[in-house]
Every structure is written in C-alpha cells, then in structure tokens.
Amino acid sequence: MARLPSAERRRQLTEAAIRAMARDGVPRTTTRSIAAEAGVSLSVFHYCFDSKQELIESVITTITEHYVTLVKEAIRPRDTLEETIRAGFQAYWDHVRAHPDEHMLTYELTQYALRQPGFEHLARRQYELYAETYADLIDQLRQTMGLRLRVPAPTLARYLAAMTDGLTLNHLVLGDEGAWKDILDTVITHVAGLVREA
C-alpha cells in the first residue's frame, strides 16, 4: 500500500465514507466498512480520524464542496442577471439529478446528528455551512457584477439555503422531473428580484 500524505488519505477515506453511507445508510456504515471501501487497514482510518464526529464533519464539508465547486464555476457574468442566476441554479440542480443518493445522505446525516447525543452541533454546523456557502456566492456576484441587494446579505444567504434545501428534498421525495423547470423559473425570477445590478 502506497504511503500518502495525511490530508490526501483523509480525503480518500472521506470519499469512501460518502460512497458507503450513500449506499448503506449512516447507521449501518462502520469504520471497518469505510476502511474496506477505501482499501486501507482499520489502523489507517484511526490514524486519520480521532472520532466518528470528526469523520461526519468531514463528510458534510466534502459533500458541500462537491456541488459548490460546480456552482462557483457556473456563476460568471452572463448577458442578464437572470441568466447568471439560472446558470448557478442549473449547475446545482444537475448535481442533484446526477447524484441523488449523495443529496439524500445530507438529510440522513442531519437526522443522525440531531438524534445522537453530543453530535447535535454537527447538524448546526451543516446548515451554517450552507448559509456560509451562499454568502460566498453572493459576495462573488456582488464583486463581479456590482450587484446591490434589496435584503441584507446574511438574510438572503439563509433564505437561499432554506429554499434549495426544500426544493432538493421535494425532488428526492416526489421526483417529478416535468415540474422542476417551472419551479426553477419561478425561483430564479424571485431571487433576481431580491438583487439589482448597480
């Protein structure tokens, strides 16, 4: 087995945990099954992670990074504000449709953290991370497009996090592909109304 830098090994184990948890569910995923998924010994897992809390926080952060990277690349100034907003939402939505198990896992992680004594802060951190992510995206658009917000940036960030959270869960439950174009059109129009170009 090749020796990898600690950070790279942690990432390997985190990605293995995401695959195992998405396939088997959070409660049924063990450190042993994660190590097997990553192709490493159990001792390597325990060298990289001190606790299950630390692993779950790494999983939450990494899943968020998966789609945030795509959205950040997609959000660049277009001909209109609506087209710019649409590009970001479309990148996110394409990720939801391509990786539904990964997004379902985010909800399972929230419930798991809320029900495990001592893990509650991980659920809070998960949703704080969503709001921070939107705040970064809003700031990116403010700088590149000179946008002026009609509502405070933290309020808009939490609103966008709550709205996409609800949309994602609705899609995972109902799966009605035909309805989502109209829903996204409505959301994009509404969000564009909350900001304006300078």
Side-chain angles (χ1 to χ4, degrees):
M1 176 174 51
R3 288 185 61 83
L4 294 175
S6 179
E8 191 173 336
R9 186 65 81 190
R10 281 174 61 93
R11 179 161 286 279
Q12 177 192 20
L13 284 161
T14 299
E15 294 289 354
I18 291 169
R19 292 191 302 273
M21 289 176 177
R23 182 184 62 237
D24 303 328
V26 175
R28 289 189 301 276
T29 301
T30 63
T31 55
R32 190 174 301 280
S33 67
I34 293 167
E37 181 76 26
V40 301
S41 69
L42 194 55
S43 62
V44 170
F45 178 92
H46 290 297
Y47 174 77
C48 292
F49 291 100
D50 292 332
S51 66
K52 192 165 187 180
Q53 286 186 13
E54 189 180 1
L55 169 69
I56 289 176
E57 187 162 11
S58 182
V59 165
I60 289 167
T61 302
T62 301
I63 289 176
T64 305
E65 285 172 358
H66 285 174
Y67 62 81
V68 168
T69 301
L70 296 173
V71 173
K72 282 187 174 178
E73 290 171 0
I75 291 189
R76 52 184 168 72
R78 312 281 171 146
D79 290 341
T80 67
L81 177 59
E82 286 80 4
E83 287 176 23
T84 304
I85 294 170
R86 179 179 301 282
F89 275 111
Q90 192 63 56
Y92 173 78
W93 201 248
D94 289 346
H95 191 274
V96 171
R97 291 167 62 203
H99 305 281
D101 290 347
E102 194 170 294
H103 287 271
M104 194 177 307
L105 174 58
T106 64
Y107 295 99
E108 190 174 350
L109 285 165
T110 305
Q111 294 298 315
Y112 178 82
L114 288 173
R115 290 180 179 275
Q116 292 294 314
F119 281 55
E120 302 90 344
H121 70 283
L122 294 177
R124 183 176 186 83
R125 178 66 193 127
Q126 180 182 10
Y127 277 76
E128 287 171 347
L129 182 60
Y130 294 163
E132 289 167 13
T133 297
Y134 271 107
D136 288 346
L137 292 170
I138 291 165
D139 191 52
Q140 178 182 330
L141 282 180
R142 286 170 80 174
Q143 291 179 26
T144 58
M145 298 186 73
L147 297 182
R148 302 170 88 182
L149 306 181
R150 297 180 187 273
V151 295
T155 301
L156 181 58
R158 291 190 74 172
Y159 170 75
L160 290 171
M163 187 262 312
T164 51
D165 192 46
L167 279 175
T168 304
L169 186 56
N170 268 266
H171 175 70
L172 292 172
V173 172
L174 301 175
D176 183 359
E177 284 291 327
W180 299 106
K181 183 186 179 309
D182 290 342
I183 292 170
L184 283 179
D185 286 347
T186 302
V187 168
I188 289 160
T189 300
H190 182 228
V191 171
L194 297 175
V195 298
R196 57 193 166 93
E197 294 178 87

